[in-house]
């Protein structure tokens, strides 16, 4: 018997003597692409169509092959196909529903793809017709909502999410996608929340659901009231989280936890998309964006960041259960296995505690290492923006600085020749703010390079400043190795000076220099309110005196530029004024130290001898009061970051669209799943 080969909608016998035969569904598509109503001669046409296995490739290709004028001629038939797809979503037999969903995906993609090169028609009119669009989209969204919330097939839910992702991402700029107005009017927020609240659904569809929500939140967010923003900002399931989050990890069960927050806690965990593994080679901007939106829009989410659970449970939790149907049957591939593998072992045999914020800090320590790649740069920036929002939040700061809540946080440190990697077992148990400061110090010392990430450095220093403002305001005396921060800041100043010409060609380095100098001014002016001991204050003065040459060189550089009539005059002059107290300290103590050395015939003083001189001469030191050191401008997305987020969402949308692969859900899998359904 001759072997039958299927290709491009053709059923072709291997014998060359026979004409190729088209499969029935392709013949039916061809009828739709005629100007006549296909149901005129065949009353059961639409009923039969949705029993046929969809040929997505042929249908999309046919739509793309027509020019704008040809497409307009068959508009009525396309409208009719679209409407019958929506009607089929209410059918009892799941095969019809699946075929309708896949057909809708092909229609939406095909028509939009055609519109990229032809501007002769409106998408909504071509798909539905202006007069029926509102009712069509209302029925479509209600059907999708019902399918997502029903206790039915996981494959159907997956297809619904793929269709919605297809609908959202057909344009590069989602805010130009006019169909989304109907998705705003007919909100599916509660359906998404239900998927994320139900553990089995979350395991199967959590990634797609979170990505979908992150994209919907960004639709015209600066231009109009977005209902998804409003609803996300008032979600509050803290009671559920407080009751069940700890038990979930202790018992290694998920049935106790519900809600959007708990879903993100699971989504952004070592067992899922933010694994702090050194092997991580890519970032996940979509999940990072969702985390940002939750932190930025909803204060209640800050409490979720702080929820503690035993880390031991995370080690034995499987990375991914084996589903009976494909977890991502139609694309939007979640992060590759290198992102979700290699879960870290506990630091010792005792049960350690962890939380979402610790996981995020570990993830950030990997992402922020390599900023040469554009996606890593975007992700590093987003991590720092999230930390900025956290550093401004009163509750988050109270948790970060709580001396009764101590954690070991194993941040990834970039291998460097001049330092040894600290052994994991030596990690101290400290308030979580220490890990945040460690992360900032790590970034400072590892990114002094030719392609200088100026923007990230500014954000990094801002995070440190906001944490210091909280410590000063609340008189929190943090036991932290402040010398590491001071040393990193001084080395950064030295780098700016030694690369002045190259850096000034691209950046206003005086903005960053001023921020660094003012951090030192914060310690000088207010250090007695937040440094842990009087000796810490002495060490600050010792470090300034020891590195006086760097501050002297900085003063010479900014004085030179502030006295010239160049473009940097004003910026350099601000740094000159900010250095007044640092220079007063140097000019006051250096002669006394030299005198002490001469009187005692010592060529090189020890640190303790220098500190002795410092302590003895505080009384005669005069400093100027500087205003505004403990003030900062609060984070504002709309006014400062709108361009960044528009570009980020465009990148995510493009990536999601590229990864949507509808053909990967085979009919065989569906038939097997629905074999028991009559």
């Amino acid at each position: 018997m001759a072997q039958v080969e299927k290709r491009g909608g053709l059923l072709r016998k291997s014998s060359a003597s026979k004409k190729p035969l088209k499969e029935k569904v392709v013949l039916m598509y061809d009828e739709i692409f005629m100007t006549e109503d296909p149901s005129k001669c065949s009353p059961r046409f639409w009923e039969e169509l949705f029993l046929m296995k969809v040929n997505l490739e042929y249908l999309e290709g046919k739509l793309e092959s027509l020019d704008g004028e040809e497409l307009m001629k068959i508009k009525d038939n396309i409208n009719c196909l679209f409407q019958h797809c929506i009607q089929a979503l209410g059918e009892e037999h799941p095969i019809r529903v699946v075929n309708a969903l896949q057909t809708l995906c092909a229609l939406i993609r095909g028509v939009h793809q055609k519109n990229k090169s032809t501007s002769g028609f409106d998408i909504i009119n071509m798909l539905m017709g202006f007069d029926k669009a509102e009712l069509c989209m209302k029925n479509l969204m209600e059907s999708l909502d019902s399918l997502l919330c029903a206790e039915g097939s996981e494959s159907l839910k997956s297809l619904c999410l793929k269709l919605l992702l297809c609908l959202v991402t057909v344009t590069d700029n989602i805010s130009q996608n006019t169909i989304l107005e109907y998705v705003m009017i007919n909100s599916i927020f509660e359906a998404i929340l239900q998927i994320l609240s139900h553990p089995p659904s979350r395991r199967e569809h959590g990634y797609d659901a979170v990505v979908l929500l992150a994209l919907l939140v960004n639709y015209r967010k600066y231009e109009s009231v977005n209902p998804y923003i409003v609803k996300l900002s008032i979600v509050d399931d803290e009671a559920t989280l407080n009751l069940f989050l700890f038990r979930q990890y202790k018992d290694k069960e998920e049935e106790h936890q519900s809600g959007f927050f708990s879903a993100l806690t699971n989504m952004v965990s070592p067992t899922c998309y933010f694994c702090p593994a050194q092997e991580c080679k890519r970032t996940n901007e979509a999940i990072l964006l969702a985390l940002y939106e939750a932190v930025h829009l909803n204060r209640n989410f800050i409490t979720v960041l702080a929820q503690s659970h035993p880390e031991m449970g995370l080690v034995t939790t499987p990375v991914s259960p084996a589903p009976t149907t494909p977890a991502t049957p139609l694309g939007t591939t979640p992060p590759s296995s290198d992102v979700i593998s290699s879960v870290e072992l506990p630091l010792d045999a005792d049960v350690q505690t962890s939380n979402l914020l610790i996981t995020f800090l570990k993830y950030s320590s990997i992402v922020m290492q390599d900023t040469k790649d554009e996606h890593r740069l975007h992700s590093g920036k987003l991590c720092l923006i999230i930390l900025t929002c956290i550093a401004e939040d009163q509750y988050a700061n109270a948790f970060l600085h709580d001396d009764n809540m101590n954690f070991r946080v194993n941040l990834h440190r970039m291998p460097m020749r001049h330092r040894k990697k600290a052994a994991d077992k030596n990690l101290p148990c400290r308030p979580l703010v220490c890990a945040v400061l460690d992360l900032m110090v790590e970034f400072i010392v590892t990114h002094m390079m030719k392609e200088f990430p100026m923007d990230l450095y500014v954000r990094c220093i801002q995070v440190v400043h906001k944490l210091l403002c909280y410590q000063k305001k609340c008189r929190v005396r943090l036991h932290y190795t402040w010398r590491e921060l001071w040393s990193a800041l001084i080395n950064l100043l030295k780098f700016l000076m030694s690369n002045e010409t190259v850096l000034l060609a691209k950046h206003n380095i005086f903005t960053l220099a001023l921020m660094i100098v003012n951090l030192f001014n914060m310690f000088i002016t207010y250090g007695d309110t937040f440094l842990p001991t009087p000796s810490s204050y002495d060490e600050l003065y010792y470090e300034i005196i020891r590195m006086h040459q760097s501050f002297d060189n900085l003063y010479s550089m900014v004085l030179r530029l502030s006295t010239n009539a160049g473009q940097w005059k004003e910026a350099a002059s601000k740094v000159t004024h900010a250095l007044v107290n640092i220079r007063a300290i140097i000019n006051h103590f250096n002669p006394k130290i030299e005198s002490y050395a001469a009187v005692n015939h010592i060529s090189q003083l020890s640190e303790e001898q220098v500190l002795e001189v410092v302590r003895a001469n505080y009384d005669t030191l005069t400093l100027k009061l500087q205003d505004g050191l403990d003030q900062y401008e609060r984070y504002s997305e709309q006014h400062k970051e709108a361009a960044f987020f528009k570009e980020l969402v465009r990148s995510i949308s493009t990536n999601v669209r590229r990864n949507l692969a509808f053909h990967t859900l085979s009919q065989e899998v569906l038939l097997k799943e629905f074999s028991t359904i009559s």
Side-chain angles (χ1 to χ4, degrees), residues 459-509:
R459 293 172 193 280
C460 179
I461 302 302
Q462 285 174 338
V463 169
V464 175
H465 179 235
K466 288 170 183 180
L467 294 174
L468 290 182
C469 289
Y470 175 83
Q471 291 168 24
K472 180 257 176 184
K473 177 185 174 184
C474 299
R475 295 184 173 264
V476 177
R477 296 191 182 276
L478 183 68
H479 289 273
Y480 182 72
T481 49
W482 291 110
R483 267 191 173 180
E484 290 185 9
L485 174 63
W486 300 332
S487 174
L489 293 172
I490 292 169
N491 285 330
L492 179 53
L493 285 175
K494 287 164 70 175
F495 176 82
L496 295 178
M497 288 183 283
S498 60
N499 295 275
E500 173 193 345
T501 307
V502 175
L503 292 175
L504 276 178
K506 297 180 180 179
H507 311 290
N508 177 3
I509 60 173

Side-chain angles (χ1 to χ4, degrees), residues 97-313:
V97 179
V98 167
N99 288 333
L101 288 168
Q102 290 186 318
T103 304
L104 282 168
C105 290
L107 266 179
I108 292 165
R109 279 158 56 112
V111 171
H112 269 89
Q113 189 65 30
K114 184 74 246 168
N115 199 40
K116 285 184 178 180
S117 56
T118 308
S119 55
F121 58 85
D122 184 278
I123 295 294
I124 295 174
N125 189 35
M126 179 56 64
L127 286 173
M128 296 165 271
F130 288 130
D131 55 334
K132 300 186 182 74
E134 191 171 337
L135 181 59
C136 269
M137 286 304 297
K138 179 177 182 292
N139 292 336
L140 173 61
M141 296 307 294
E142 285 178 355
S143 294
L144 293 174
D145 187 271
S146 298
L147 290 167
L148 288 171
C149 295
E151 294 183 7
S153 158
E154 294 303 325
S155 293
L156 282 182
K157 290 182 182 180
S158 178
L159 261 175
C160 289
L161 288 169
K162 303 303 179 191
L163 172 58
L164 286 163
L165 284 168
C166 172
L167 199 64
V168 172
T169 62
V170 281
T171 56
D172 289 342
N173 181 351
I174 64 170
S175 293
Q176 291 178 350
N177 186 353
T178 50
I179 292 182
L180 291 190
E181 284 297 328
Y182 299 107
V183 183
M184 296 294 120
I185 296 167
N186 305 283
S187 173
I188 51 159
F189 182 85
E190 286 73 18
I192 295 173
L193 209 64
Q194 182 168 320
I195 284 174
L196 295 175
S197 303
H198 188 51
S201 291
R202 185 167 66 239
R203 279 193 297 267
E204 293 283 336
H205 317 297
Y207 182 81
D208 282 355
V210 169
V211 172
L212 176 62
L213 184 57
L215 290 170
L216 289 172
V217 162
N218 280 275
Y219 174 73
R220 296 187 178 176
K221 67 192 306 187
Y222 309 120
E223 303 157 33
S224 59
V225 176
N226 180 320
Y228 292 86
I229 291 178
V230 175
K231 291 182 180 185
L232 179 57
S233 68
I234 58 175
V235 171
D236 181 7
D237 55 1
E238 278 186 76
T240 307
L241 283 162
N242 289 335
L243 282 169
F244 301 124
L245 188 63
F246 178 83
R247 288 179 63 194
Q248 179 216 341
Y249 285 93
K250 184 175 181 181
D251 301 332
K252 297 190 284 291
E253 295 174 357
E254 292 184 322
E255 283 68 23
H256 303 299
Q257 197 177 6
S258 67
F260 171 72
F261 293 154
S262 55
L264 258 183
T265 306
N266 282 284
M267 296 297 294
V268 190
S269 77
T271 58
C272 202
Y273 300 107
F274 282 178
C275 175
Q278 294 184 18
E279 293 80 6
C280 176
K281 300 296 182 189
R282 57 170 287 187
T283 61
N284 199 319
E285 294 171 344
I287 297 296
L288 259 183
L289 178 63
L291 179 62
Y292 161 76
E293 297 294 359
V295 170
H296 178 233
L297 295 174
N298 194 314
R299 258 196 104 257
N300 297 318
F301 192 73
I302 295 292
T303 62
V304 180
L305 292 173
Q307 297 297 322
S308 299
H309 54 76
E311 203 167 34
M312 206 69 156

Side-chain angles (χ1 to χ4, degrees), residues 299 302-303 305-306 357 389-402 470:
R299 258 196 104 257
I302 295 292
T303 62
L305 292 173
L357 186 52
C389 295
I390 291 169
E392 288 184 3
D393 186 87
Q394 189 77 5
Y395 177 87
N397 267 305
F399 167 72
L400 287 172
H401 291 85
D402 190 342
Y470 175 83

Side-chain angles (χ1 to χ4, degrees), residues 557-619:
M557 182 180 90
V558 294
L559 187 64
R560 166 171 49 86
L561 289 164
S562 64
T563 51
N564 295 336
Q567 70 176 109
W568 306 116
K569 180 182 174 73
E570 186 180 349
S573 143
K574 289 179 181 177
V575 182
T576 308
H577 296 311
L579 281 165
V580 61
N581 281 342
I582 292 175
R583 297 192 73 242
I585 290 168
I586 293 167
N587 294 334
H588 176 75
F589 286 106
N590 265 357
K592 291 178 169 48
I593 290 167
E594 290 168 6
S595 173
Y596 180 92
V599 168
N600 292 280
H601 307 289
I602 303 171
S603 59
Q604 190 169 353
L605 298 183
S606 67
E607 180 178 336
E608 190 49 50
Q609 288 168 328
V610 172
L611 288 171
E612 185 182 329
V613 175
V614 168
R615 293 185 191 106
N617 290 280
Y618 272 133
D619 293 345

